[in-house]
Amino acid sequence: MLIALVSAKGSPGVTTSALAIASQWHRPALVLDADPFGGDVRAGLGAGEWPSHAGLAELVVDLRTGPVEQSLHRRVHRPAGHCPPVIAGFGCVGQASSVPWSRLAPELARLDGGDVIVDCGRFVAVDGVVGLLRVADLVLLVSGSTLRAARSASRVAPLLREGLDAGVGDPRVSLLVVRAGEPYSAQEIADGCALPLLGALPDDPRAAEVWSDGTRPARSFPRSALQREARRLASLAARLDPTWSAA
Ligand SMILES: Nc1ncnc2c1ncn2[C@@H]1O[C@H](COP(=O)(O)OP(=O)(O)OP(=O)(O)O)[C@@H](O)[C@H]1O
Ligand SMILES: [Mg+2]
């Protein structure tokens, strides 16, 4: 299954949500950092320590000589036991648009025995990672709950539906709200975007920093509000897998 997380504007928590959900996935899942504005995991989750071979640029080079599946295990890095395997993003803005997504994305969507959760950063209508969004089994628009955030999300939602050829209500394009209630509820934002609501992740700065900034998790981290809700959302998202009933 290929799941893409994307934001409309601001920094609502795409990277944090992608990592939290992947860490709670029911089977092996890797996170691919494809943020077109430059990847964050080397400096964030990796706190500046990241092997140079474990990146999307290196994966793209491998594509010249072999299938994606062969290259993936060489290109992932797990910075610590609580982390999912991750492929870091680009160091330069715009490089994500040079990736041959039309070849890479379908192969990622059909991996045997594993799923891929992609941090697509802020949505860019032209270039960006549109080629990947088109073949994703699930695109999650991540939004905060302020008026500004809700407005931006409602502008991007129709573009995403159009890109995926998804009608109103099609769960392939769904909403994930981070820190609902500032002041809008997750459902109010979903209604404004005309998107099905997958769910919401709570305001949990301590747990979020583990993913966004690579801080050491406290002993209570696995029981944190963020991780518990990420687990619930992971199981809801997994049900949208087109092969779910066969799994
Ligand atoms: N559920 C949450 N509760 C509290 N803080 C959060 C939550 N999710 C993310 N944050 C915090 O919000 C900030 C931005 O998070 P993150 O980097 O994941 O956002 P982003 O949407 O990926 O941003 P960008 O577009 O810049 O890549 C970080 O400081 C992170 O710790
Ligand atoms: Mg990010």
Side-chain angles (χ1 to χ4, degrees):
M1 186 180 191
L2 182 63
I3 300 152
L5 279 77
V6 67
S7 67
K9 218 174 172 189
S11 298
V14 177
T15 303
T16 302
S17 305
L19 289 164
I21 289 171
S23 74
Q24 299 299 311
W25 201 249
H26 65 292
R27 59 180 187 171
L30 71 88
V31 172
L32 176 63
D33 181 354
D35 189 328
F37 293 92
D40 267 342
V41 296
R42 283 178 205 271
L45 180 67
E49 306 278 333
W50 200 270
S52 56
H53 66 266
L56 180 52
E58 292 70 30
L59 180 75
V60 169
V61 172
D62 290 346
L63 286 182
R64 293 184 199 148
T65 50
V68 174
E69 200 140 10
Q70 235 171 48
S71 161
L72 281 177
H73 69 276
R74 279 206 302 274
R75 299 306 172 197
V76 293
H77 174 52
R78 255 185 108 177
H82 63 277
C83 301
V86 180
I87 296 179
F90 290 115
C92 291
V93 174
Q95 268 182 320
S97 62
S98 64
V99 175
W101 290 117
S102 55
R103 172 175 165 205
L104 179 56
E107 286 193 52
L108 292 175
R110 286 193 304 266
L111 288 180
D112 270 343
D115 298 296
V116 183
I117 299 182
V118 190
D119 173 355
C120 293
R122 187 167 155 189
F123 176 67
V124 189
V126 186
D127 287 336
V129 295
V130 173
L132 180 139
L133 296 175
R134 274 200 200 108
V135 300
D137 299 301
L138 170 63
V139 173
L140 282 176
L141 176 59
V142 181
S143 174
S145 64
T146 62
L147 178 57
R148 277 190 299 124
R151 278 253 163 90
S152 309
S154 70
R155 289 187 196 117
V156 163
L159 301 178
L160 288 176
R161 267 203 309 270
E162 211 174 283
L164 268 83
D165 227 354
V168 172
D170 186 333
R172 275 187 309 145
V173 186
S174 291
L175 184 75
L176 166 59
V177 176
V178 177
R179 288 173 290 202
E182 296 178 346
Y184 295 103
S185 72
Q187 191 57 58
E188 281 172 318
I189 299 165
D191 292 345
C193 293
L195 289 182
L197 178 65
L198 180 75
L201 287 174
D203 185 20
D204 187 347
R206 256 185 99 193
E209 266 189 359
V210 170
W211 299 123
S212 62
D213 293 277
T215 56
R216 261 175 73 137
R219 216 186 268 197
S220 57
F221 174 70
R223 299 185 307 279
S224 63
L226 177 65
Q227 289 301 99
R228 276 189 282 121
E229 203 49 29
R231 175 181 285 260
R232 205 180 68 81
L233 295 190
S235 79
L236 289 175
R239 280 161 208 266
L240 298 171
D241 184 348
T243 62
W244 173 260
S245 54

